[in-house]
Amino acid sequence: MTILKYTPIREIPKIRETLRATFKAGVTRPLEWRKHQLYQLARLAQNEADAICDALNKDLSKPKLEVLMAEVGAVVERATKSAEQLDAWAAPEHPDVPDWQKGWKPTLHKAPRGTALIISPWNYPFILNSQPLMGAIAAGCCAVLKPSEVSPHLSQLVTDLLPKYLDPSAYRVVNGAVSETTKLLELQWDHIFYTGNSRVARIIAAAAAKHLTPLTLELGGKSPVLVDSAYDMRLAAKRILWGKCNNAGQICVAPDYILVPRSKQDEFVEGLKEAYKTFFPDGAIGASHYGSIVNESHFNRLSSLLDRTKGERITDVFEGRKDTARKRIEPTVVKNVQDDDPLLEEELFGPILPIVPVDSLDEALAFINARPHPLVLYAFTEDPNVKQRLIDETQSGGLVFNDTFQQLAVNELPFAGVGQSGYGYQVMKYTFDTYTQLRSSIDIPKEAEPFLQLRYPPHGPEAVKALSSAVHLSIPESAPSGR
Ligand code: NAD
């Protein structure tokens, strides 16, 4: 039985044309219309919560509470708050200018970019479709959603529900895999918002470049965790294991590997065991609050990594059981992992926790800096000097001290990568800004004419002096050291 109905390729250009006509007709411009669509998206999430949980259970065995917290609840809250804050976000701004320009009424208009394409992955598919969509709605854009074929139940559900809640002349879903997405990417869009892996991101960026389309890339990578020797190893272990177990490690911000002082490695492992026993008294394999690996190919990829690692697998407490039929892998801890280990090659995106022992903070920083900039850098430390060194001497999309995963609860901070982990910003106002062009305008009154006389040729000595006065501005003293 086919779960997901792919969109016929010949229909894709027509869908785009419909949306472009809607945008051109100004349907999406009024703020009250946008607010209604945002509230409708919140209603979709709230009313259909059971169906969403059910679809994600089928696709990923995702525990219901995880779905309600991280996907459904977040969409209800953020869509509602976006509607409530829209008037403030969309209001024109008047920047402060020198007195002689004030009469020109310098203004920043918040102009919608047009019709957007949103391409989303399978791991948190409800929120990762809805979140970029709510920014597009708020900004007054039309949008096509291209959900992932890897989570077919959820993608089909969103396809069925969207037209019941949102205006189908402005928001449509295209389903499919590479051929359908390739067709979408041949067409011109006014913004593309891609969430997924960095290999496909390169394909998207090349396609966007052909049309000079602005692009947001929300990618992943290996997010390290650094544990300072003075920190409470048991607390760090508990908070790290919790972050790793969400969606069985299949989240872009999952702690990927842990840099621990060599002398504290065993104490840290004991902390992990203690936390694991409390989270999963009978092991994770059959627990209803633990998810599955999305498909056989990812299950085999993770199994192969565990077969190839040269690190020491912890087998006490962490039994590392696998259930091939249900595609489940228990959280697996590997210690004494060396620099060239297969576990350190690519983003793990699964429930494997490699521990890399280090002899100093300098060694840990060098280890992090020798790799592409991660999406998140986690650090367990209460030492202000260590915190400042991490801020000054590393690069990452975000920086989280003394916890994992919890940064996703803060609506007011932008979520973004840097370098290989992506570019562009999202969440709430930041997503609105992504789809908004800051369109500047001035309006010079007739009465300004006497003040503009000097600019007209021919220019006498007095005009030359006045018009070139900026050249002679006094520049403050400074020194190469910055002091
Ligand atoms: P995926 O396989 O579902 O792919 C994402 C999208 O790309 C899908 O819609 C798919 O149809 C499309 N796609 C696949 N191959 C394509 C091709 N050749 N041409 C055009 N489009 C194509 O999901 P994934 O990439 O496996 O997702 C996991 C990755 O996403 C991880 O790296 C994770 O870290 C990252 N991620 C990032 C964020 C974030 O917000 N930064 C959030 C979630 C996941």
Side-chain angles (χ1 to χ4, degrees), residues 66 237-238 240-250 255-256 258 269 271-273 275-287 289-293 299 302 306 312-323 327-335 343 348-355:
E66 275 188 32
K238 181 161 91 174
I240 293 167
L241 186 70
W242 174 75
K244 186 71 175 183
C245 288
N246 278 285
N247 204 25
Q250 301 166 107
D256 193 282
I258 303 151
V269 169
L272 288 172
K273 289 182 196 168
Y276 184 72
K277 277 191 275 187
T278 11
F279 296 171
F280 303 105
D282 303 314
I285 202 76
H289 56 288
Y290 185 70
S292 293
I293 304 305
F299 182 86
L302 291 164
L306 285 172
E312 278 171 55
R313 224 165 119 161
I314 306 295
T315 49
D316 167 23
V317 178
F318 287 96
E319 291 181 65
R321 285 174 293 180
K322 284 196 254 175
D323 178 340
K327 300 186 292 301
R328 281 192 168 216
I329 301 177
E330 283 187 328
T332 305
V333 177
V334 185
K335 72 172 198 177
L343 294 182
L348 290 169
F349 225 56
I352 306 172
L353 214 41
I355 304 173

Side-chain angles (χ1 to χ4, degrees), residues 48-107:
E48 312 291 347
D50 285 345
I52 294 164
C53 290
D54 186 45
L56 284 173
N57 184 32
K58 287 179 179 141
D59 285 332
L60 280 152
S61 299
K62 209 182 246 204
K64 190 167 181 175
L65 185 60
E66 275 188 32
V67 180
L68 293 177
M69 268 172 49
E71 305 218 47
V72 175
V75 171
V76 175
E77 186 194 3
R78 288 179 180 173
T80 305
K81 285 194 170 162
S82 294
E84 286 166 2
Q85 294 172 20
L86 187 57
D87 286 332
W89 298 349
E93 286 175 31
H94 303 283
D96 198 21
V97 294
D99 284 349
W100 60 280
Q101 292 179 339
K102 284 200 167 41
W104 304 359
K105 302 191 203 79
T107 304

